[in-house]
């Protein structure tokens, strides 16, 4: 085991990408929490992508695209990262082993399905999972998967398969590690820029993203026939994308609320603490919708798509008002 | 969400793991708390898993009735569909669909089957029959 592995500290996080990047930066001496990493990169988003299907159901993202959280952090922290993808799995395996031998802690994009340490019910073909490898012992990699409470181990053949899984968002063996981290403190200006950026992402001019994406999804949900199995599956998909390991959509509202609380101090703007409180209330609204949907799926009340659509619109209205006011507050 | 409301309902689909959740503590600070999961999440995840398992079971019956090849069962058992199996194996979707027919499947050579075996994480001998 190399020296880095011995000093590396695993921290539990709510989301894979913000968890990976904050753990990696913390390892290199930058004091960023997961919420700070998430907020600074402008990670909060919403996108309804009906043309990307996972098991026949549309992708609904509550966060920015894979890699966007990592890339979004580069400017505020003036860091540089190296991203590498591979044509052949052999080359990808060799590069990972070489980097580990050099003492690097390496970030990877992988499939969830082919990671054996995931609980069986969580193993779906989702290809944009992130984890850190911090060492190798024999044939096993030492893995810091931030959505797990404790570090994991994974046999090399399994990790290899997970890194080179195919299909939507195929990772192509993507690995990444920091090249240079010249600056270790966060400026008030960087915080303000990040909040402005995120407000724009939530109030975009395109109909598939942000609050307009929520309304577009609501429109589709409204059209689902009541009482059909597919309708229940579709509603379940919205909630799964919202709550499940590694995606945690409503959870993102709480992470962003945590960020706004930190930002109130970092950016010396106490008003942000009030926005943090408000966002917690909005997050609770998402949780109430998830509960309603779960009751329908469980058959405790009839499957009524228009009820869910109405709740979605209500969330969209609240978030629209919230981000407009937040935008004005950081002008 | 307040710290007292962090669900600890024991979501079975988490397989005993705890997930990190952000919640407000008594002093108003938002902190990470480990959660055993909540029922709403368990219901939607189980629903998704059940849907996939029902597909695999239906495929098994079709294979036993001679209406489908074992490839159809394995595709469903691996939680894949035709587009994904096509992407992973490198066969066009129309070829994958043909290979789901038992008569066509029977004519496939080991070399053909190896591509499916790799895509599904199985051996050629395994995908020739039901488990």
């Amino acid at each position: 085991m190399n020296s880095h592995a011995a000093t590396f500290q695993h921290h539990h996080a709510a989301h894979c990408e913000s968890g990976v990047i904050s753990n990696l930066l913390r390892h290199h001496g930058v004091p960023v929490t997961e919420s700070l990493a998430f907020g600074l990169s402008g990670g909060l988003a919403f996108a309804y992508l009906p043309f990307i299907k996972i098991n026949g159901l549309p992708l609904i993202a509550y966060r920015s695209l894979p890699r966007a959280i990592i890339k979004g952090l580069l400017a505020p922290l003036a860091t540089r990262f190296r991203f590498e993808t591979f044509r052949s799995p052999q080359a990808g395996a060799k590069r990972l082993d070489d980097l580990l031998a050099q003492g690097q802690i390496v970030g990877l994009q992988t499939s969830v399905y082919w990671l054996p340490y995931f609980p069986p019910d969580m193993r779906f073909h989702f290809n944009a999972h992130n984890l850190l490898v911090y060492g190798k012992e024999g044939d096993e990699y030492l893995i810091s998967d931030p959505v797990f409470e404790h570090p994991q181990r994974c046999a090399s053949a399994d990790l290899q398969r997970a890194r080179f899984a195919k299909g939507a968002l195929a990772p192509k063996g993507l690995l990444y590690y920091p090249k240079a981290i010249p600056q270790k403190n966060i400026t008030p200006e960087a915080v303000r820029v990040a909040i402005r950026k995120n407000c724009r992402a939530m109030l975009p001019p395109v109909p598939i993203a942000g609050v307009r994406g929520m309304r577009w999804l609501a429109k589709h949900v409204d059209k689902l026939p009541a009482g059909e199995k597919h309708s229940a599956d579709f509603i379940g998909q919205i909630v799964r994308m919202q709550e499940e390991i590694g995606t945690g959509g409503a959870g993102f509202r709480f992470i962003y609320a945590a960020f706004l609380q930190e930002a109130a101090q970092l950016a010396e703007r106490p008003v942000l603490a009030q926005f943090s409180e408000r966002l917690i209330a909005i997050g609770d609204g998402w949780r109430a919708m998830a509960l309603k949907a779960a009751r329908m799926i469980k058959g405790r009340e009839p499957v009524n798509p228009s009820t869910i659509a109405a709740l979605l619109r209500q969330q969209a209205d609240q978030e629209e008002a919230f981000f407009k006011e937040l935008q004005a507050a950081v002008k | 969400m307040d710290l007292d409301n962090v669900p600890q309902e024991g979501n079975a689909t988490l397989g005993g793991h705890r997930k990190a959740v952000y919640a407000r503590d008594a002093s108003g600070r938002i902190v990470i708390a480990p959660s055993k999961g909540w029922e709403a999440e368990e219901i939607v995840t189980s629903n998704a898993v059940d849907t996939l398992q029902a597909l695999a079971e239906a495929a098994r019956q079709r294979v036993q009735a001679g209406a489908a090849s074992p490839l159809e069962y394995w595709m469903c058992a691996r939680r894949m569909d035709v587009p994904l199996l096509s992407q992973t194996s490198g066969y066009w979707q129309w070829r994958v669909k043909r290979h789901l027919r038992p008569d066509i499947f029977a004519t496939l050579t080991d070399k053909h089957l190896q591509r499916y075996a790799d895509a599904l994480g199985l051996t050629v001998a395994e995908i020739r029959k039901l488990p």
Side-chain angles (χ1 to χ4, degrees):
Chain A
M1 206 195 277
N2 58 49
S3 59
H4 268 290
T7 58
F8 178 76
Q9 259 217 313
H10 173 83
H11 295 271
H12 198 189
H15 173 62
C16 63
E17 191 169 329
S18 48
V20 156
I21 196 68
S22 60
N23 284 349
L24 190 54
L25 287 170
R26 264 194 274 205
H27 177 75
H28 289 282
V30 191
V32 281
T33 55
E34 180 194 18
S35 42
L36 194 54
F38 184 76
L40 268 187
S41 68
L44 196 66
F46 184 92
Y48 173 45
L49 307 166
F51 33 83
I52 301 181
K53 291 269 183 0
I54 296 178
N55 288 117
L57 292 164
L59 184 67
I60 300 155
Y62 290 77
R63 40 148 301 175
S64 41
L65 285 168
R67 258 188 260 186
I69 295 181
I70 300 167
K71 293 205 164 154
L73 269 181
L74 304 184
L77 289 170
T79 50
R80 278 189 295 126
F81 267 71
R82 223 180 124 66
F83 295 87
E84 297 177 19
T85 53
F86 303 90
R87 283 214 188 145
S88 90
Q90 291 74 19
K94 184 171 180 306
R95 183 73 180 132
L96 175 60
D97 289 349
D98 288 351
L99 285 168
L100 289 173
Q102 289 168 24
Q104 285 282 358
I105 308 280
V106 186
L108 297 181
Q109 185 185 331
T110 69
S111 139
V112 166
Y113 184 82
W114 296 106
L115 292 173
Y117 61 80
F118 262 77
D121 288 345
M122 289 286 163
R123 289 176 64 182
F124 297 95
H125 290 281
F126 175 69
N127 278 336
H129 186 59
N130 283 273
L131 51 84
L132 284 174
V133 183
Y134 63 94
K136 193 177 185 185
E137 271 182 11
D139 188 46
E140 279 186 328
Y141 288 100
L142 307 179
I143 290 181
S144 162
D145 190 324
V147 299
F148 285 82
E149 208 173 352
H150 305 290
Q152 305 289 327
R153 284 166 177 264
C154 184
S156 61
D158 292 322
L159 186 65
Q160 188 72 349
R161 190 178 278 283
R163 290 179 66 196
F164 289 91
K166 301 209 174 95
L169 308 171
K172 300 193 181 88
L174 175 71
L175 60 77
Y176 48 88
Y177 54 93
K179 280 301 259 186
I181 306 179
Q183 175 197 331
K184 300 202 167 158
N185 59 323
I186 293 139
T187 63
E189 188 51 23
V191 173
R192 285 182 50 214
V193 168
I195 295 175
R196 279 205 294 267
K197 181 180 151 195
N198 219 137
C199 291
R200 277 199 303 276
M202 290 306 293
L203 306 165
V206 290
I208 62 167
V211 295
R212 293 181 65 190
M214 290 174 203
R215 295 199 181 108
W216 194 39
L217 173 62
K219 211 165 136 186
H220 282 199
V221 172
D222 235 347
K223 284 188 196 141
L224 293 172
E228 260 183 39
K229 170 85 178 125
H230 176 75
S231 305
D233 287 350
F234 192 103
I235 290 169
Q237 171 83 350
I238 301 173
V239 178
R240 276 180 55 221
M241 294 272 139
Q242 178 180 322
E243 296 298 328
E244 210 166 73
I245 256 185
T247 46
F252 287 151
R253 270 66 194 167
F254 299 120
I255 302 179
Y256 205 77
F259 161 69
L260 288 175
Q261 201 174 63
E262 291 164 282
Q265 288 203 329
L266 281 169
E268 292 145 10
R269 284 185 183 238
V271 67
L272 293 178
Q274 290 164 26
F275 280 98
S276 166
E277 290 293 313
R278 244 176 98 183
L279 193 56
I280 289 180
I282 292 175
D284 286 336
W286 283 104
R287 282 170 54 83
M289 187 188 94
L291 201 59
K292 190 87 181 157
R295 290 180 58 83
M296 290 181 185
I297 289 158
K298 189 79 179 176
R300 289 182 194 151
E301 54 186 274
V303 175
N304 186 351
S306 58
T307 307
I308 300 295
L311 287 172
L312 266 171
R313 289 199 183 95
Q314 196 182 314
Q315 289 303 113
D317 291 346
Q318 283 190 18
E319 293 204 356
E320 184 168 25
F322 175 84
F323 284 105
K324 278 189 175 154
E325 285 167 44
L326 182 61
Q327 201 166 36
V330 291
K331 234 179 192 142
Chain B
M1 182 169 38
D2 289 328
L3 217 44
D4 305 341
N5 297 337
V6 170
Q8 305 292 356
E9 290 160 18
N11 175 355
T13 62
L14 291 175
H17 291 283
R18 295 198 295 178
K19 56 189 276 182
V21 164
Y22 283 76
R24 195 165 34 188
D25 70 10
S27 65
R29 254 176 61 88
I30 304 170
V31 294
I32 292 185
S35 159
K36 289 183 190 156
W38 67 318
E39 200 195 1
E41 189 183 4
E42 183 179 63
I43 291 169
V44 292
T45 305
S46 307
N47 180 63
V49 170
D50 291 349
T51 303
L52 293 168
Q53 275 170 354
L55 285 174
E57 194 42 45
R60 178 198 289 277
Q61 283 170 14
R62 275 201 302 282
V63 177
Q64 278 163 348
S69 73
L71 183 62
E72 181 167 327
Y73 169 78
W74 284 115
M75 175 179 84
C76 296
R78 286 287 182 267
R79 301 182 179 177
M80 291 190 184
D81 52 14
V82 170
L84 185 56
L85 186 56
S86 161
Q87 282 171 320
T88 359
S89 63
Y91 286 115
W92 293 100
Q93 288 196 34
W94 64 268
R95 289 194 75 188
V96 174
K97 281 183 203 154
R98 254 168 67 83
H99 297 162
L100 299 181
R101 283 170 49 185
D103 50 331
I104 308 284
F105 183 77
T107 66
L108 295 180
T109 63
D110 280 6
K111 213 176 123 197
H112 283 119
L113 291 178
Q114 189 61 51
R115 277 166 69 176
Y116 285 122
D118 290 342
L120 295 162
L122 294 159
T123 64
V124 168
E126 278 171 320
I127 59 169
R128 279 189 198 280
K129 53 184 197 308
L130 289 173

